[in-house]
Amino acid sequence: DNTNLTYITLANSKKLTPIPDGLFAKLDNLRVLDLSRLNWNHIHPGQISPRIQSLRLGGTQLTCGCSLAWLVRLDQSEPVLVEGATCDGVNLLQVPHEKFECSQQDYVLIIGVVSGAILILILLVVLVAVYSWYTSHRSKYACDYLQYIPCEE
């Protein structure tokens, strides 16, 4: 039964890819999460337990940007201790707040990427549907003129 875990460390797991959102959501007793020295550039709130009291990020090289604004707010809040958090090699609390502001350009980029991904998915679905229809009806419309098989009228 993992629900009683109070401390989890993933420190030094260099090959670990970012964990999915909600992984720790059901761990009501989790208080300390150690994500030190990972090869991650970003982290988002869904990856962290909502009841966490200490988040250790020393040596994890995060990239400054508006996606880390939540972490700055978390670091400034009283009940949660964020240890060793840096972005672009600078302590999180020493980075100018402008680096965490989301500009309109950031939103346009996010909307563009999401829209592009949706369009690609729609195109793939249409292509699969057309290909499926074609393969199921191919014999009905096939003519083999070399073997003198007439086309169906």
Side-chain angles (χ1 to χ4, degrees), residues 106-122:
D106 292 333
Y107 291 121
V108 169
L109 179 63
I110 291 168
I111 291 170
V113 168
V114 170
S115 299
I118 290 171
L119 286 174
I120 289 171
L121 284 173
I122 291 170

Side-chain angles (χ1 to χ4, degrees), residues 1-77:
D1 183 25
N2 296 337
T3 57
N4 292 323
L5 290 173
T6 59
Y7 179 92
I8 293 178
T9 181
L10 302 174
N12 295 310
S13 302
K14 299 293 184 187
K15 293 184 180 184
L16 181 69
T17 58
I19 54 179
D21 284 0
L23 185 65
F24 303 124
K26 294 183 180 180
L27 300 179
D28 293 331
N29 296 319
L30 184 61
R31 298 297 179 252
V32 179
L33 181 59
D34 190 348
L35 302 176
S36 301
R37 295 172 301 285
L38 299 177
N39 287 331
W40 296 1
N41 295 327
H42 296 87
I43 189 168
H44 45 91
Q47 295 171 307
I48 307 301
S49 169
R51 290 165 283 290
I52 200 82
Q53 292 176 351
S54 177
L55 177 61
R56 298 179 182 166
L57 293 169
T60 299
Q61 300 297 320
L62 301 173
T63 302
C64 291
C66 71
S67 64
L68 288 182
W70 71 273
L71 189 58
V72 173
R73 288 189 299 274
L74 184 68
D75 198 12
Q76 294 171 342
S77 70

Side-chain angles (χ1 to χ4, degrees), residues 62-128:
L62 301 173
T63 302
C64 291
C66 71
S67 64
L68 288 182
W70 71 273
L71 189 58
V72 173
R73 288 189 299 274
L74 184 68
D75 198 12
Q76 294 171 342
S77 70
E78 204 54 40
V80 179
L81 175 63
V82 179
E83 299 176 43
T86 63
C87 68
D88 297 340
V90 179
N91 182 299
L92 200 62
L93 293 178
Q94 295 175 346
V95 175
H97 290 289
E98 297 82 40
K99 284 229 177 193
F100 301 111
E101 292 176 0
C102 295
S103 68
Q104 189 173 12
Q105 183 180 7
D106 292 333
Y107 291 121
V108 169
L109 179 63
I110 291 168
I111 291 170
V113 168
V114 170
S115 299
I118 290 171
L119 286 174
I120 289 171
L121 284 173
I122 291 170
L123 180 63
L124 284 173
V125 167
V126 169
L127 286 173
V128 167

